[in-house]
Amino acid sequence: MYFVFDVETWLIGPGRLAPRLVCLGHVSEDTEPYLSNREEGLRDVEQALRDEVFIVGHNVTYDLGVIAQERWDLAPLIWEKLDSGLVWDTMIFEQLHKIARGWSKIDPMTGRVPKYSLAALAKSYFDHEMDGKSGDSWRFKYHELDGVPLDQWPQEAKTYALEDVKWTEKIFLFQYQTIGMLPDFVAQVKASWALHLMSAWGIRTEAESVSKLRAELIKTVEDANVSLREWGILRQNGTKDLKRVRELVS
């Protein structure tokens, strides 16, 4: 069983990697894709976090970060779901799949550097061109609909959100049923969540320890610079003599 979801939010920005939630599109094996407003969507996500189902998304750590920002009381449930191995990120799965096949640099199917967007996977798996991904699409304007009842939304705004969750479901089912679980997938999804949390909220540090580490690193650099000057690699003005480097290693 699974719960596929995708959030639409205000725009991200510096210091705002978990922006305000506007709406949530979701689908499961028992439902067609549908939209929920902020409050209803959060209730649906909470129920899915409590149930024994896969939580599925494309770059799902972003979506879960938005959920945690809105309802921090759901954060323990997110960690429990990650620990249980029931969070499926279609983007991370594809990245690991490409690495496993030696295709992380060039995809032999296209002859190009692989891409991992939802649109790229829809094209790769199903030869489907997703609409609405241009710079003027609704993906950049959902903040204009914050607080507007869903039945008053433009059809294009609804369609965009529903298409995202529809194709995420299709890609997930293809990955799960055709390729199957990849080694280290669960650990990589958990690592992605941890890194996203640090990007969004930073990490706690102890001022005294930071000051001590800074002093140690400065001394290490200064000592290294002394040696580099003695070897003629580092000039007095701070520039590097690369010719001297080549002479020493030749």
Side-chain angles (χ1 to χ4, degrees):
M1 298 180 67
Y2 58 86
F3 176 87
V4 181
F5 82 109
D6 180 74
V7 300
E8 302 299 345
T9 66
W10 285 62
L11 294 177
I12 63 172
R16 191 174 64 247
L17 297 185
R20 182 167 173 78
L21 175 65
V22 176
C23 75
L24 190 143
H26 40 115
V27 63
S28 69
E29 65 272 24
D30 299 324
T31 66
E32 294 295 320
Y34 66 102
L35 292 181
S36 296
N37 62 27
R38 181 184 297 111
E39 290 73 21
E40 293 170 347
L42 288 168
R43 287 196 295 270
D44 290 335
V45 171
E46 178 178 4
Q47 187 59 54
L49 287 170
R50 296 185 183 280
D51 291 342
E52 285 291 318
V53 300
F54 271 112
I55 296 287
V56 181
H58 190 79
N59 190 21
V60 74
T61 52
Y62 171 78
D63 303 84
L64 291 173
V66 170
I67 297 302
Q69 177 71 13
E70 295 284 343
R71 290 265 316 269
W72 190 246
D73 61 299
L74 297 181
L77 295 178
I78 294 174
W79 266 284
E80 289 174 11
K81 186 68 77 170
L82 286 159
D83 286 339
S84 69
L86 290 176
V87 177
W88 191 288
D89 190 318
T90 52
M91 183 179 73
I92 292 176
F93 185 97
E94 184 65 11
Q95 290 170 334
L96 292 175
H97 187 222
K98 287 286 197 298
I99 291 170
R101 301 180 74 171
W103 294 4
S104 60
K105 302 298 183 182
I106 296 293
D107 186 338
M109 303 296 290
T110 63
R112 300 176 180 177
V113 176
K115 297 181 179 179
Y116 302 102
S117 67
L118 186 64
L121 269 61
K123 177 66 176 177
S124 174
Y125 288 178
F126 302 101
D127 197 27
H128 173 78
E129 297 282 356
M130 292 188 69
D131 297 326
K133 296 298 184 181
S134 62
D136 62 348
S137 72
W138 267 105
R139 66 184 295 198
F140 300 105
K141 300 186 292 186
Y142 278 98
H143 61 281
E144 298 176 9
L145 299 174
D146 193 3
V148 178
L150 291 173
D151 59 6
Q152 297 178 26
W153 280 26
Q155 186 57 46
E156 294 83 359
K158 297 179 184 179
T159 299
Y160 177 90
L162 290 172
E163 281 290 292
D164 270 9
V165 76
K166 168 187 170 182
W167 285 100
T168 301
E169 179 191 30
K170 286 180 177 291
I171 291 164
F172 159 67
L173 290 174
F174 181 90
Q175 292 174 337
Y176 183 77
Q177 297 171 354
T178 306
I179 302 173
M181 182 64 74
L182 295 172
D184 205 36
F185 178 55
V186 171
Q188 292 297 335
V189 173
K190 292 171 67 174
S192 176
W193 171 243
L195 292 171
H196 181 69
L197 288 178
M198 286 190 284
S199 298
W201 288 284
I203 57 176
R204 286 187 176 182
T205 59
E206 185 181 60
E208 183 178 346
S209 296
V210 170
S211 180
K212 180 181 178 183
L213 177 61
R214 183 174 185 275
E216 292 173 352
L217 293 176
I218 289 174
K219 185 177 187 306
T220 299
V221 172
E222 290 175 344
D223 291 345
N225 285 342
V226 170
S227 297
L228 291 173
R229 290 191 181 96
E230 291 174 351
W231 283 95
I233 296 173
L234 188 65
R235 302 187 181 98
Q236 291 301 318
N237 63 3
T239 61
K240 301 175 182 65
D241 188 339
L242 297 182
K243 181 180 178 180
R244 177 58 176 159
V245 174
R246 287 191 290 269
E247 291 174 354
L248 290 169
V249 299
S250 62

